[in-house]
Amino acid sequence: MKLDLNLADEFGTGLADGALAAEFRQGRMAPYAGICPEIVLNFTGVRNANSSFINALVAGFVEQHGPQVLDRLVFRGCNPVVRVLVESAISLGLEKHEMMA
């Protein structure tokens, strides 16, 4: 089973609300973290995003589930700006997870 989440369909072309991202992460991603071999975050159609949204979505997920979750996360359709934000969020999530350990 693969979980494919199209973020433009869920939130529109601008991803800016960190609280909505955190709610989405808890409700739509976290329940599948241990059971889906692949969780696709599809950014196709997303024109812009901010660190608040991406950190709440990605860093929070990595922090919560640890570095092993990166083996199952797939990031699709990232434009260059979104890619940089995702890479930063992954690093932040790994740092926070390490601090919790």
Side-chain angles (χ1 to χ4, degrees):
M1 177 172 124
K2 174 172 78 168
L3 181 63
D4 196 341
L5 302 167
N6 187 308
L7 298 175
D9 288 349
E10 297 284 343
F11 300 102
T13 61
L15 309 179
D17 190 330
L20 279 178
E23 183 180 310
F24 182 81
R25 181 189 80 233
Q26 287 299 105
R28 296 285 307 279
M29 293 171 64
Y32 299 96
I35 59 174
C36 280
E38 187 172 86
I39 298 171
V40 178
L41 294 179
N42 189 341
F43 289 88
T44 302
V46 171
R47 291 184 183 178
N48 56 54
N50 66 21
S51 59
S52 174
F53 185 96
I54 301 297
N55 286 343
L57 187 70
V58 177
F61 196 65
V62 173
E63 177 184 3
Q64 189 174 25
H65 299 284
Q68 64 277 6
V69 80
L70 292 172
D71 294 336
R72 286 178 274 178
L73 271 179
V74 176
F75 300 96
R76 189 166 289 140
C78 296
N79 68 35
V81 171
V82 170
R83 181 178 306 275
V84 168
L85 291 171
V86 167
E87 289 171 355
S88 295
I90 289 170
S91 295
L92 178 62
L94 290 171
E95 286 174 27
K96 286 184 169 187
H97 182 76
E98 180 80 17
M99 291 171 53
M100 289 175 34

